Amino acid sequence: MRGGLWQLGQSITRRLAQGDKKAVARRYFASDAELKKTVVYDFHVANGGKMVPFAGWSMPIQYKDSIMDSTLNCRENGSLFDVSHMCGLSLKGKDSVPFLEKLVIADVAGLAPGTGSLTVFTNEKGGAIDDSVITKVKDDHIYLVVNAGCRDKDLAHIEEHMKAFKAKGGDVSWHIHDERSLLALQGPLAAPVLQHLTKADLSKMYFGGFQVLDINGVQCFLTRTGYTGEDGFEISIPSESAVDLAKAILEKSEGKIRLTGLGARDSLRLEAGLCLYGNDLEQHITPIEAGLTWAIGKRRRAEGGFLGADVILKQLEEGPKIRRVGFFSSGPPPRSHSEIQDEGGNNIGEVTSGGFSPCLKKNIAIGYVKSGLHKAGTKVKIIIRGKFNEGVVTKMPFVPTKYYKPS
């Protein structure tokens, strides 16, 4: 999926509009036998979902509305995403926190029970194996979600280190939540609509918070988080109840919250300046270079103790050689791998994600440039299909975030 879900969605929309359904099937759709399906698959198809291969799953890229309209509706009302292709797992045992701290940059010990944070799994060179939202449920129970495309390597990595940790007497075990599905409810109507389906007072649950509670009569794991820059929730629910919950949310919203696909999800996260693993974050990119220094806890900066800590702490002290930045640009929307040059014609980096912002009505992009050329206002040239386009480095997020935090 490198190159952008946004561009993929636009290409599918154009071909479908031209009536070229056979070409779409040949180009984008693998045979059903090759792809896994979430329990919400039939519900997607019944509601007009255009299904495409993504990380080994058949997932909706969009529905009957355009990606532009879906993006705007999420910001104005709300969106419901099926993200059940992602992998939820629990670590349990009295040593689950020290175990996880060997693998991630977060100060897991410093999290209060019922709170969480974005973190990064690092390798020995300080590069990112994956990014993940982790939650300390209790001192002996960590819940985390990893990316679908990284599932196999992440689980192998965790298992390898867990075996070594347990061999030395460590008390930790894990459970992969394949019996559960994951729905993401995002946008200004997310909280008021979900409040209709639970007795818990959601106004007391802030961004990053976690609770186990009944929603629509079923016990769920609820995290106040998301991937859009809007307020919202990720709801882990037993798979047999996922479609009923999706129907209930859409019904309670009176049509204002819409089913939304991966195309709009990509444009929403891009507007929010969030990394997409495989594009903006990879094995050779460190959290410092990616602008995720804030995710490294103060204690972890002092103590280290995670894979690649020597590289990362040195970058903290001396500064990285490259930095992730945002851009506005003219011409066609930048694509992944578009070359970035300074005004003198020297190569200074490349675009990792780009597209047209439905909210700002202009091109936006994320990429990496040499340190010293990363400051907002720096003028650049972005090369797209051999042509030079004017660009300027800008601060992120492009669209202000609206996370629900204590006032």
Side-chain angles (χ1 to χ4, degrees):
M1 282 296 160
R2 280 195 69 120
L5 291 165
W6 184 86
Q7 284 96 349
L8 173 61
Q10 296 303 309
S11 177
I12 290 175
T13 301
R14 281 195 302 275
R15 287 175 178 265
L16 288 172
Q18 294 162 359
D20 196 1
K21 293 184 179 179
K22 288 184 179 178
V24 171
R26 283 195 306 272
R27 174 98 187 261
Y28 301 110
F29 294 73
S31 69
D32 283 351
E34 296 171 18
L35 298 173
K36 292 177 275 191
K37 297 176 181 177
T38 75
V39 295
V40 193
Y41 176 88
D42 290 341
F43 188 64
H44 294 312
V45 173
N47 283 276
K50 298 178 177 72
M51 311 304 287
V52 299
F54 182 77
W57 295 78
S58 181
M59 300 298 294
I61 189 81
Q62 68 184 100
Y63 293 83
K64 294 172 184 175
D65 53 353
S66 69
I67 289 173
M68 293 270 288
D69 287 344
S70 282
T71 302
L72 293 171
N73 188 67
C74 181
R75 302 243 183 261
E76 292 166 8
N77 296 300
S79 289
L80 182 64
F81 304 88
D82 174 21
V83 288
S84 304
H85 58 309
M86 298 181 75
C87 177
L89 61 140
S90 287
L91 298 173
K92 292 188 176 181
K94 68 179 178 62
D95 297 323
S96 54
V97 169
F99 167 69
L100 186 59
E101 284 197 343
K102 291 181 177 293
L103 306 182
V104 302
I105 60 176
D107 181 1
V108 187
L111 290 171
T115 66
S117 174
L118 177 76
T119 194
V120 178
F121 282 86
T122 49
N123 58 34
E124 286 82 356
K125 295 181 180 178
I129 293 173
D130 197 6
D131 56 342
S132 172
V133 173
I134 61 165
T135 302
K136 183 193 278 185
V137 182
K138 297 185 295 183
D139 287 334
D140 62 352
H141 180 190
I142 307 296
Y143 171 68
L144 58 151
V145 178
V146 300
N147 286 303
C150 298
R151 174 186 169 125
D152 290 347
K153 71 169 182 178
D154 286 359
L155 296 184
H157 176 72
I158 294 169
E159 185 174 34
E160 177 190 352
H161 286 273
M162 188 182 295
K163 283 181 179 176
F165 186 81
K166 291 174 78 170
K168 294 179 180 177
D171 176 25
V172 62
S173 61
W174 66 345
H175 175 75
I176 300 160
H177 291 291
D178 286 339
E179 78 286 358
R180 304 184 77 88
S181 294
L182 193 63
L183 302 178
L185 176 60
Q186 300 283 294
L189 294 183
V193 167
L194 193 62
Q195 188 63 78
H196 286 298
L197 299 172
T198 184
K199 293 177 181 176
D201 184 355
L202 298 179
S203 70
K204 295 177 181 175
M205 184 181 185
Y206 298 106
F207 178 67
F210 174 92
Q211 290 185 35
V212 178
L213 43 73
D214 280 2
I215 300 174
N216 205 38
V218 180
Q219 190 178 81
C220 298
F221 304 160
L222 183 68
T223 311
R224 196 153 198 165
T225 188
Y227 194 46
T228 63
E230 296 294 318
D231 180 29
F233 303 88
E234 290 187 356
I235 310 162
S236 174
I237 184 168
S239 289
E240 63 272 16
S241 302
V243 173
D244 286 345
L245 177 57
K247 289 177 179 176
I249 289 170
L250 298 175
E251 184 182 317
K252 290 293 182 185
S253 79
E254 299 178 339
K256 291 183 177 178
I257 290 176
R258 298 181 199 162
L259 287 169
T260 307
L262 294 173
R265 186 169 163 86
D266 193 49
S267 61
L268 287 158
R269 72 90 195 168
L270 183 56
E271 289 182 338
L274 301 173
C275 292
L276 173 64
Y277 193 89
N279 279 46
D280 315 300
L281 203 57
E282 294 198 68
Q283 299 262 12
H284 63 278
I285 298 291
T286 72
I288 310 298
E289 294 164 345
L292 300 175
T293 302
W294 60 268
I296 307 174
K298 187 176 180 181
R299 178 178 61 83
R300 307 310 308 276
R301 297 181 195 197
E303 298 176 1
F306 49 87
L307 292 173
D310 53 338
V311 175
I312 290 170
L313 298 182
K314 186 178 180 183
Q315 284 188 350
L316 262 176
E317 187 179 337
E318 300 177 358
K321 293 181 179 177
I322 58 171
R323 294 178 188 263
R324 183 172 70 96
V325 295
F327 303 93
F328 291 131
S329 69
S330 61
R335 294 172 179 266
S336 178
H337 297 310
S338 296
E339 182 184 348
I340 303 166
Q341 294 185 358
D342 64 15
E343 291 189 292
N346 303 299
N347 179 296
I348 60 168
E350 72 169 25
V351 171
T352 51
S353 289
F356 181 78
S357 164
C359 293
L360 301 178
K361 305 293 188 286
K362 63 169 81 172
N363 296 335
I364 59 175
I366 293 172
Y368 285 83
V369 297
K370 292 177 181 178
S371 287
L373 298 168
H374 64 282
K375 292 175 181 168
T378 302
K379 293 181 179 179
V380 298
K381 303 283 187 185
I382 300 178
I383 304 173
I384 303 168
R385 302 189 192 100
K387 294 184 178 179
F388 291 78
N389 299 273
E390 301 291 331
V392 62
V393 175
T394 186
K395 291 183 178 179
M396 297 184 284
F398 302 100
V399 173
T401 56
K402 299 173 186 171
Y403 303 130
Y404 182 68
K405 297 181 177 181
S407 54

mmCIF file with all atom_site columns, all heavy atoms in Angstrom, residues 187-204:
data_model
loop_
_atom_site.group_PDB
_atom_site.id
_atom_site.type_symbol
_atom_site.label_atom_id
_atom_site.label_alt_id
_atom_site.label_comp_id
_atom_site.label_asym_id
_atom_site.label_entity_id
_atom_site.label_seq_id
_atom_site.pdbx_PDB_ins_code
_atom_site.Cartn_x
_atom_site.Cartn_y
_atom_site.Cartn_z
_atom_site.occupancy
_atom_site.B_iso_or_equiv
_atom_site.pdbx_formal_charge
_atom_site.auth_seq_id
_atom_site.auth_comp_id
_atom_site.auth_asym_id
_atom_site.auth_atom_id
_atom_site.pdbx_PDB_model_num
ATOM 1   N N   . GLY A 1 187 ? -14.897 11.500 15.664 1.00 0.00 ? 187 GLY A N   1
ATOM 2   C CA  . GLY A 1 187 ? -15.584 12.717 15.259 1.00 0.00 ? 187 GLY A CA  1
ATOM 3   C C   . GLY A 1 187 ? -16.358 13.349 16.402 1.00 0.00 ? 187 GLY A C   1
ATOM 4   O O   . GLY A 1 187 ? -16.514 12.765 17.479 1.00 0.00 ? 187 GLY A O   1
ATOM 5   N N   . PRO A 1 188 ? -16.882 14.560 16.203 1.00 0.00 ? 188 PRO A N   1
ATOM 6   C CA  . PRO A 1 188 ? -17.556 15.294 17.272 1.00 0.00 ? 188 PRO A CA  1
ATOM 7   C C   . PRO A 1 188 ? -18.784 14.606 17.849 1.00 0.00 ? 188 PRO A C   1
ATOM 8   O O   . PRO A 1 188 ? -19.156 14.859 18.996 1.00 0.00 ? 188 PRO A O   1
ATOM 9   C CB  . PRO A 1 188 ? -17.917 16.637 16.622 1.00 0.00 ? 188 PRO A CB  1
ATOM 10  C CG  . PRO A 1 188 ? -17.712 16.467 15.157 1.00 0.00 ? 188 PRO A CG  1
ATOM 11  C CD  . PRO A 1 188 ? -16.725 15.379 14.974 1.00 0.00 ? 188 PRO A CD  1
ATOM 12  N N   . LEU A 1 189 ? -19.423 13.727 17.071 1.00 0.00 ? 189 LEU A N   1
ATOM 13  C CA  . LEU A 1 189 ? -20.608 13.024 17.583 1.00 0.00 ? 189 LEU A CA  1
ATOM 14  C C   . LEU A 1 189 ? -20.263 11.684 18.225 1.00 0.00 ? 189 LEU A C   1
ATOM 15  O O   . LEU A 1 189 ? -21.161 10.990 18.716 1.00 0.00 ? 189 LEU A O   1
ATOM 16  C CB  . LEU A 1 189 ? -21.626 12.801 16.457 1.00 0.00 ? 189 LEU A CB  1
ATOM 17  C CG  . LEU A 1 189 ? -22.270 14.057 15.858 1.00 0.00 ? 189 LEU A CG  1
ATOM 18  C CD1 . LEU A 1 189 ? -23.295 13.665 14.803 1.00 0.00 ? 189 LEU A CD1 1
ATOM 19  C CD2 . LEU A 1 189 ? -22.926 14.910 16.945 1.00 0.00 ? 189 LEU A CD2 1
ATOM 20  N N   . ALA A 1 190 ? -18.973 11.315 18.228 1.00 0.00 ? 190 ALA A N   1
ATOM 21  C CA  . ALA A 1 190 ? -18.575 10.004 18.758 1.00 0.00 ? 190 ALA A CA  1
ATOM 22  C C   . ALA A 1 190 ? -19.027 9.831  20.200 1.00 0.00 ? 190 ALA A C   1
ATOM 23  O O   . ALA A 1 190 ? -19.682 8.833  20.550 1.00 0.00 ? 190 ALA A O   1
ATOM 24  C CB  . ALA A 1 190 ? -17.065 9.824  18.646 1.00 0.00 ? 190 ALA A CB  1
ATOM 25  N N   . ALA A 1 191 ? -18.677 10.778 21.073 1.00 0.00 ? 191 ALA A N   1
ATOM 26  C CA  . ALA A 1 191 ? -19.018 10.642 22.496 1.00 0.00 ? 191 ALA A CA  1
ATOM 27  C C   . ALA A 1 191 ? -20.512 10.718 22.756 1.00 0.00 ? 191 ALA A C   1
ATOM 28  O O   . ALA A 1 191 ? -21.068 9.860  23.459 1.00 0.00 ? 191 ALA A O   1
ATOM 29  C CB  . ALA A 1 191 ? -18.261 11.684 23.318 1.00 0.00 ? 191 ALA A CB  1
ATOM 30  N N   . PRO A 1 192 ? -21.247 11.724 22.224 1.00 0.00 ? 192 PRO A N   1
ATOM 31  C CA  . PRO A 1 192 ? -22.681 11.769 22.497 1.00 0.00 ? 192 PRO A CA  1
ATOM 32  C C   . PRO A 1 192 ? -23.445 10.560 21.983 1.00 0.00 ? 192 PRO A C   1
ATOM 33  O O   . PRO A 1 192 ? -24.396 10.097 22.635 1.00 0.00 ? 192 PRO A O   1
ATOM 34  C CB  . PRO A 1 192 ? -23.144 13.060 21.821 1.00 0.00 ? 192 PRO A CB  1
ATOM 35  C CG  . PRO A 1 192 ? -22.016 13.560 20.996 1.00 0.00 ? 192 PRO A CG  1
ATOM 36  C CD  . PRO A 1 192 ? -20.777 12.945 21.551 1.00 0.00 ? 192 PRO A CD  1
ATOM 37  N N   . VAL A 1 193 ? -23.043 10.021 20.839 1.00 0.00 ? 193 VAL A N   1
ATOM 38  C CA  . VAL A 1 193 ? -23.729 8.838  20.305 1.00 0.00 ? 193 VAL A CA  1
ATOM 39  C C   . VAL A 1 193 ? -23.402 7.604  21.140 1.00 0.00 ? 193 VAL A C   1
ATOM 40  O O   . VAL A 1 193 ? -24.292 6.831  21.514 1.00 0.00 ? 193 VAL A O   1
ATOM 41  C CB  . VAL A 1 193 ? -23.367 8.622  18.819 1.00 0.00 ? 193 VAL A CB  1
ATOM 42  C CG1 . VAL A 1 193 ? -23.818 7.231  18.349 1.00 0.00 ? 193 VAL A CG1 1
ATOM 43  C CG2 . VAL A 1 193 ? -24.023 9.700  17.965 1.00 0.00 ? 193 VAL A CG2 1
ATOM 44  N N   . LEU A 1 194 ? -22.110 7.417  21.468 1.00 0.00 ? 194 LEU A N   1
ATOM 45  C CA  . LEU A 1 194 ? -21.736 6.244  22.260 1.00 0.00 ? 194 LEU A CA  1
ATOM 46  C C   . LEU A 1 194 ? -22.346 6.307  23.655 1.00 0.00 ? 194 LEU A C   1
ATOM 47  O O   . LEU A 1 194 ? -22.659 5.271  24.250 1.00 0.00 ? 194 LEU A O   1
ATOM 48  C CB  . LEU A 1 194 ? -20.208 6.143  22.345 1.00 0.00 ? 194 LEU A CB  1
ATOM 49  C CG  . LEU A 1 194 ? -19.662 4.811  22.870 1.00 0.00 ? 194 LEU A CG  1
ATOM 50  C CD1 . LEU A 1 194 ? -20.045 3.660  21.953 1.00 0.00 ? 194 LEU A CD1 1
ATOM 51  C CD2 . LEU A 1 194 ? -18.141 4.871  23.014 1.00 0.00 ? 194 LEU A CD2 1
ATOM 52  N N   . GLN A 1 195 ? -22.540 7.515  24.181 1.00 0.00 ? 195 GLN A N   1
ATOM 53  C CA  . GLN A 1 195 ? -23.125 7.665  25.516 1.00 0.00 ? 195 GLN A CA  1
ATOM 54  C C   . GLN A 1 195 ? -24.516 7.048  25.584 1.00 0.00 ? 195 GLN A C   1
ATOM 55  O O   . GLN A 1 195 ? -24.938 6.551  26.643 1.00 0.00 ? 195 GLN A O   1
ATOM 56  C CB  . GLN A 1 195 ? -23.180 9.140  25.901 1.00 0.00 ? 195 GLN A CB  1
ATOM 57  C CG  . GLN A 1 195 ? -23.586 9.391  27.354 1.00 0.00 ? 195 GLN A CG  1
ATOM 58  C CD  . GLN A 1 195 ? -22.589 8.803  28.352 1.00 0.00 ? 195 GLN A CD  1
ATOM 59  O OE1 . GLN A 1 195 ? -21.534 9.370  28.585 1.00 0.00 ? 195 GLN A OE1 1
ATOM 60  N NE2 . GLN A 1 195 ? -22.916 7.662  28.938 1.00 0.00 ? 195 GLN A NE2 1
ATOM 61  N N   . HIS A 1 196 ? -25.228 7.031  24.475 1.00 0.00 ? 196 HIS A N   1
ATOM 62  C CA  . HIS A 1 196 ? -26.563 6.404  24.419 1.00 0.00 ? 196 HIS A CA  1
ATOM 63  C C   . HIS A 1 196 ? -26.496 4.893  24.640 1.00 0.00 ? 196 HIS A C   1
ATOM 64  O O   . HIS A 1 196 ? -27.502 4.264  24.969 1.00 0.00 ? 196 HIS A O   1
ATOM 65  C CB  . HIS A 1 196 ? -27.227 6.668  23.059 1.00 0.00 ? 196 HIS A CB  1
ATOM 66  C CG  . HIS A 1 196 ? -27.723 8.067  22.878 1.00 0.00 ? 196 HIS A CG  1
ATOM 67  N ND1 . HIS A 1 196 ? -28.695 8.637  23.674 1.00 0.00 ? 196 HIS A ND1 1
ATOM 68  C CD2 . HIS A 1 196 ? -27.372 9.018  21.968 1.00 0.00 ? 196 HIS A CD2 1
ATOM 69  C CE1 . HIS A 1 196 ? -28.930 9.882  23.277 1.00 0.00 ? 196 HIS A CE1 1
ATOM 70  N NE2 . HIS A 1 196 ? -28.135 10.137 22.250 1.00 0.00 ? 196 HIS A NE2 1
ATOM 71  N N   . LEU A 1 197 ? -25.311 4.304  24.433 1.00 0.00 ? 197 LEU A N   1
ATOM 72  C CA  . LEU A 1 197 ? -25.185 2.847  24.440 1.00 0.00 ? 197 LEU A CA  1
ATOM 73  C C   . LEU A 1 197 ? -24.458 2.308  25.670 1.00 0.00 ? 197 LEU A C   1
ATOM 74  O O   . LEU A 1 197 ? -24.200 1.117  25.758 1.00 0.00 ? 197 LEU A O   1
ATOM 75  C CB  . LEU A 1 197 ? -24.450 2.390  23.167 1.00 0.00 ? 197 LEU A CB  1
ATOM 76  C CG  . LEU A 1 197 ? -25.148 2.735  21.842 1.00 0.00 ? 197 LEU A CG  1
ATOM 77  C CD1 . LEU A 1 197 ? -24.248 2.406  20.659 1.00 0.00 ? 197 LEU A CD1 1
ATOM 78  C CD2 . LEU A 1 197 ? -26.488 2.002  21.722 1.00 0.00 ? 197 LEU A CD2 1
ATOM 79  N N   . THR A 1 198 ? -24.121 3.189  26.622 1.00 0.00 ? 198 THR A N   1
ATOM 80  C CA  . THR A 1 198 ? -23.449 2.742  27.842 1.00 0.00 ? 198 THR A CA  1
ATOM 81  C C   . THR A 1 198 ? -23.907 3.562  29.034 1.00 0.00 ? 198 THR A C   1
ATOM 82  O O   . THR A 1 198 ? -24.270 4.738  28.896 1.00 0.00 ? 198 THR A O   1
ATOM 83  C CB  . THR A 1 198 ? -21.911 2.839  27.698 1.00 0.00 ? 198 THR A CB  1
ATOM 84  O OG1 . THR A 1 198 ? -21.294 2.319  28.865 1.00 0.00 ? 198 THR A OG1 1
ATOM 85  C CG2 . THR A 1 198 ? -21.441 4.263  27.464 1.00 0.00 ? 198 THR A CG2 1
ATOM 86  N N   . LYS A 1 199 ? -23.885 2.940  30.211 1.00 0.00 ? 199 LYS A N   1
ATOM 87  C CA  . LYS A 1 199 ? -24.249 3.641  31.442 1.00 0.00 ? 199 LYS A CA  1
ATOM 88  C C   . LYS A 1 199 ? -23.065 4.397  32.036 1.00 0.00 ? 199 LYS A C   1
ATOM 89  O O   . LYS A 1 199 ? -23.239 5.254  32.904 1.00 0.00 ? 199 LYS A O   1
ATOM 90  C CB  . LYS A 1 199 ? -24.801 2.634  32.469 1.00 0.00 ? 199 LYS A CB  1
ATOM 91  C CG  . LYS A 1 199 ? -26.133 2.019  32.056 1.00 0.00 ? 199 LYS A CG  1
ATOM 92  C CD  . LYS A 1 199 ? -26.598 0.972  33.067 1.00 0.00 ? 199 LYS A CD  1
ATOM 93  C CE  . LYS A 1 199 ? -27.916 0.335  32.635 1.00 0.00 ? 199 LYS A CE  1
ATOM 94  N NZ  . LYS A 1 199 ? -28.326 -0.750 33.564 1.00 0.00 ? 199 LYS A NZ  1
ATOM 95  N N   . ALA A 1 200 ? -21.858 4.063  31.609 1.00 0.00 ? 200 ALA A N   1
ATOM 96  C CA  . ALA A 1 200 ? -20.659 4.738  32.110 1.00 0.00 ? 200 ALA A CA  1
ATOM 97  C C   . ALA A 1 200 ? -20.659 6.194  31.663 1.00 0.00 ? 200 ALA A C   1
ATOM 98  O O   . ALA A 1 200 ? -21.154 6.524  30.577 1.00 0.00 ? 200 ALA A O   1
ATOM 99  C CB  . ALA A 1 200 ? -19.411 4.033  31.590 1.00 0.00 ? 200 ALA A CB  1
ATOM 100 N N   . ASP A 1 201 ? -20.142 7.072  32.511 1.00 0.00 ? 201 ASP A N   1
ATOM 101 C CA  . ASP A 1 201 ? -20.082 8.499  32.190 1.00 0.00 ? 201 ASP A CA  1
ATOM 102 C C   . ASP A 1 201 ? -18.824 8.781  31.366 1.00 0.00 ? 201 ASP A C   1
ATOM 103 O O   . ASP A 1 201 ? -17.724 8.877  31.911 1.00 0.00 ? 201 ASP A O   1
ATOM 104 C CB  . ASP A 1 201 ? -20.074 9.323  33.487 1.00 0.00 ? 201 ASP A CB  1
ATOM 105 C CG  . ASP A 1 201 ? -20.108 10.820 33.225 1.00 0.00 ? 201 ASP A CG  1
ATOM 106 O OD1 . ASP A 1 201 ? -20.052 11.223 32.040 1.00 0.00 ? 201 ASP A OD1 1
ATOM 107 O OD2 . ASP A 1 201 ? -20.184 11.587 34.201 1.00 0.00 ? 201 ASP A OD2 1
ATOM 108 N N   . LEU A 1 202 ? -18.996 8.925  30.045 1.00 0.00 ? 202 LEU A N   1
ATOM 109 C CA  . LEU A 1 202 ? -17.855 9.114  29.152 1.00 0.00 ? 202 LEU A CA  1
ATOM 110 C C   . LEU A 1 202 ? -17.216 10.486 29.307 1.00 0.00 ? 202 LEU A C   1
ATOM 111 O O   . LEU A 1 202 ? -16.072 10.688 28.882 1.00 0.00 ? 202 LEU A O   1
ATOM 112 C CB  . LEU A 1 202 ? -18.286 8.898  27.695 1.00 0.00 ? 202 LEU A CB  1
ATOM 113 C CG  . LEU A 1 202 ? -18.821 7.493  27.357 1.00 0.00 ? 202 LEU A CG  1
ATOM 114 C CD1 . LEU A 1 202 ? -19.228 7.416  25.901 1.00 0.00 ? 202 LEU A CD1 1
ATOM 115 C CD2 . LEU A 1 202 ? -17.788 6.414  27.686 1.00 0.00 ? 202 LEU A CD2 1
ATOM 116 N N   . SER A 1 203 ? -17.913 11.439 29.927 1.00 0.00 ? 203 SER A N   1
ATOM 117 C CA  . SER A 1 203 ? -17.342 12.780 30.107 1.00 0.00 ? 203 SER A CA  1
ATOM 118 C C   . SER A 1 203 ? -16.170 12.754 31.085 1.00 0.00 ? 203 SER A C   1
ATOM 119 O O   . SER A 1 203 ? -15.368 13.688 31.128 1.00 0.00 ? 203 SER A O   1
ATOM 120 C CB  . SER A 1 203 ? -18.405 13.766 30.595 1.00 0.00 ? 203 SER A CB  1
ATOM 121 O OG  . SER A 1 203 ? -18.773 13.483 31.933 1.00 0.00 ? 203 SER A OG  1
ATOM 122 N N   . LYS A 1 204 ? -16.066 11.683 31.861 1.00 0.00 ? 204 LYS A N   1
ATOM 123 C CA  . LYS A 1 204 ? -14.965 11.555 32.827 1.00 0.00 ? 204 LYS A CA  1
ATOM 124 C C   . LYS A 1 204 ? -13.797 10.730 32.295 1.00 0.00 ? 204 LYS A C   1
ATOM 125 O O   . LYS A 1 204 ? -12.843 10.450 33.008 1.00 0.00 ? 204 LYS A O   1
ATOM 126 C CB  . LYS A 1 204 ? -15.493 10.941 34.126 1.00 0.00 ? 204 LYS A CB  1
ATOM 127 C CG  . LYS A 1 204 ? -16.500 11.850 34.844 1.00 0.00 ? 204 LYS A CG  1
ATOM 128 C CD  . LYS A 1 204 ? -17.064 11.183 36.080 1.00 0.00 ? 204 LYS A CD  1
ATOM 129 C CE  . LYS A 1 204 ? -18.079 12.091 36.773 1.00 0.00 ? 204 LYS A CE  1
ATOM 130 N NZ  . LYS A 1 204 ? -18.729 11.402 37.917 1.00 0.00 ? 204 LYS A NZ  1
#
